[in-house]
Amino acid sequence: MLFGIAPLCSGKPWTRHVIDGSSVGADGVRLADADGDGFPDIATGWEEGGVIRVYLNPGPLRAKRAWPSVTVGRVASPEDAVLVDLDDDGRVDVVSACEGEERSLFVHWAPKWREDYRIEKRWRTAGIGASKGVQWMFTLPLEVDFRRGLDLVAGGKGPGAAIGWFEAPENPREMSAWQWHPVYRAGWVMSLLPSDMDGDGDLDILASDRKGQHPGALWLENPGPGPVLAARWPEHRIGATGEEVMFLAETDLDQDGQRDVVAAVRPKTIYYFRRISSDGTAWESHRIPIPEQAGTAKGVQAGDLDGDGKLDLIFSCEKARGKLSGVMWLSYSDSSWNKWEAHDISGPDGVKFDLVELLDLDDDGDLDVLTCEERANLGVIWYENPRR
């Protein structure tokens, strides 16, 4: 079903706050509480700058300034970085995924002592041997086999690309002992999210694949414990098959108690996949065009930005040079989602934005928008919701 979209509403762009703009090519924002203070921190890989950084959330009173940070490692062409305590020692490490010529996954091991966390020279970087040779795009820490600690689900692009999981060894720091189990042949993986899609009590993998023989939005069914875990997981298609699906997110957009999926699809579409079966095998596809004044669709999230009790859609763009906006939000005015209105967030500054996260960074009761921009070097940034 194709929905209509109203012309872009008037209004000023939201105020932009810079967390860090000191390197080149900020590529992704992944959240976790790294220092245990209750605030979400950020891991970001700077693709052209070749650095992996952790940004420690200073709390709402200082969130509008540059955040304290530490460079945890230096690798070539990082495409993704995620926070995870991989060796269960109480200090949060970082896993980075590299494409280009590097083509490896790296673990950046946190210092032994908590007071050394912000000291760059105390961090140690090591590559996962079995990952060498693939252009990696996204990594998801996940307990897959419930045997020896957290495993790593990963997806790549190009020759040899797959979605699969690295089985954790008894000693996670023994980098040559991680074992790779591919479960799906991929073209270019964009998203990997954990979700119990069929309600059977274990976590499946919700994914988007933008290239290759079978691009689209899909999920891979966890086959359960035992040797079958290392085999291919059953594949279930959600929608947009054959289209260039970028990032996706899970949400209950219609608030009927079932988790739906929204996806940014190039060049100019947000798909709303409405779940119509509890086991995740039946979906309705609703296509929402984005305005011509924006760039091409890249990231998407859902949240109530205006406080009206309905979930809005927030999306980021690539190819926004010369466009009116690279980050926008969409609101709907009726219960059938037939009419959407577009609202500016970023204004014309920025060219290539990435993942979008929604959180109340200034603790004023509304959702702000966190993202990064890698071509105009705006860096790691957030936009302050003007509602309050």
Side-chain angles (χ1 to χ4, degrees):
M1 181 181 296
L2 176 64
F3 293 150
I5 190 163
L8 184 66
C9 292
S10 59
K12 295 181 180 179
W14 295 11
T15 299
R16 182 176 74 237
H17 302 286
V18 179
I19 292 171
D20 182 21
S22 64
S23 189
V24 184
D27 204 352
V29 286
R30 306 286 298 277
L31 303 180
D33 185 0
D35 54 6
D37 64 357
F39 296 120
D41 305 306
I42 304 168
T44 296
W46 293 75
E47 187 171 1
E48 286 74 29
V51 296
I52 309 297
R53 286 190 179 143
V54 172
Y55 300 97
L56 298 170
N57 190 329
L61 296 180
R62 300 178 182 176
K64 298 179 184 181
R65 312 173 192 171
W67 289 17
S69 66
V70 56
T71 296
V72 304
R74 299 176 184 270
V75 293
S77 303
E79 182 65 26
D80 178 51
V82 61
L83 290 155
V84 54
D85 183 1
L86 203 58
D87 56 359
D88 196 29
D89 66 351
R91 266 79 63 197
V92 178
D93 313 299
V94 179
V95 176
S96 64
C98 297
E99 54 170 342
E101 297 299 318
E102 190 70 83
R103 302 188 181 205
S104 290
L105 294 182
F106 291 92
V107 182
H108 310 281
W109 297 107
K112 179 179 181 180
W113 306 111
R114 190 177 302 275
E115 56 267 28
D116 291 340
Y117 199 83
R118 299 189 189 188
I119 302 175
E120 178 180 350
K121 66 181 181 181
R122 301 296 190 199
W123 288 75
R124 297 291 180 266
T125 296
I128 296 177
S131 72
K132 189 67 178 175
V134 173
Q135 297 192 82
W136 297 103
M137 303 301 292
F138 205 92
T139 310
L140 172 67
L142 186 68
E143 180 57 87
V144 176
D145 58 5
F146 291 93
R147 295 179 62 202
R148 295 184 292 260
L150 281 172
D151 308 293
L152 292 171
V153 177
K157 75 172 184 180
I163 296 173
W165 59 287
F166 288 93
E167 180 182 345
E170 186 171 350
N171 177 8
R173 289 182 177 249
E174 188 178 347
M175 307 310 290
S176 63
W178 287 79
Q179 291 185 280
W180 170 241
H181 303 290
V183 299
Y184 168 82
R185 182 178 296 176
W188 184 337
V189 176
M190 292 296 294
S191 294
L192 296 171
L193 301 176
S195 179
D196 184 4
M197 297 295 290
D198 50 7
D200 66 354
D202 57 28
L203 289 175
D204 309 298
I205 302 171
L206 175 61
S208 56
D209 191 3
R210 66 181 283 193
K211 295 285 188 180
Q213 295 182 344
H214 302 289
L218 66 142
W219 64 276
L220 302 173
E221 181 181 346
N222 188 330
V228 72
L229 268 176
R232 288 184 179 271
W233 296 17
E235 171 191 337
H236 302 276
R237 287 280 154 175
I238 296 173
T241 300
E243 299 189 59
E244 192 171 356
V245 182
M246 307 298 280
F247 291 117
L248 53 71
E250 198 175 18
T251 184
D252 183 6
L253 190 63
D254 58 359
Q255 298 175 304
D256 67 349
Q258 297 207 85
R259 301 289 287 178
D260 309 310
V261 174
V262 291
V265 179
R266 293 184 68 180
K268 293 280 189 178
T269 297
I270 303 297
Y271 267 99
Y272 163 37
F273 302 115
R274 183 172 180 263
R275 182 192 286 259
I276 56 175
S277 69
S278 59
D279 65 357
T281 59
W283 303 81
E284 289 178 351
S285 293
H286 303 277
R287 182 173 174 266
I288 306 167
I290 67 174
E292 285 301 318
Q293 301 100 316
T296 59
K298 179 69 177 288
V300 65
Q301 284 289 351
D304 183 5
L305 290 190
D306 54 6
D308 66 354
K310 298 182 294 186
L311 295 183
D312 309 300
L313 294 174
I314 300 86
F315 67 91
S316 65
C317 297
E318 297 180 329
K319 298 186 177 181
R321 189 183 305 277
K323 297 292 186 177
L324 185 63
S325 184
V327 183
M328 303 176 69
W329 66 284
L330 307 173
S331 60
Y332 64 91
S333 56
D334 60 31
S335 59
S336 61
W337 317 289
N338 284 326
K339 184 177 181 181
W340 293 80
E341 292 183 320
H343 315 263
D344 190 13
I345 292 178
S346 70
D349 293 342
V351 177
K352 185 179 181 182
F353 295 86
D354 205 80
L355 285 168
V356 174
E357 296 289 350
L358 305 179
L359 58 169
D360 185 2
L361 284 168
D362 50 5
D363 194 29
D364 66 350
D366 54 30
L367 291 173
D368 306 302
V369 175
L370 170 69
T371 186
C372 63
E373 196 282 331
E374 61 176 305
R375 283 291 177 266
N377 287 324
L378 300 183
V380 183
I381 52 180
W382 66 278
Y383 294 94
E384 182 180 350
N385 191 328
R387 185 169 71 90
R388 295 287 180 181

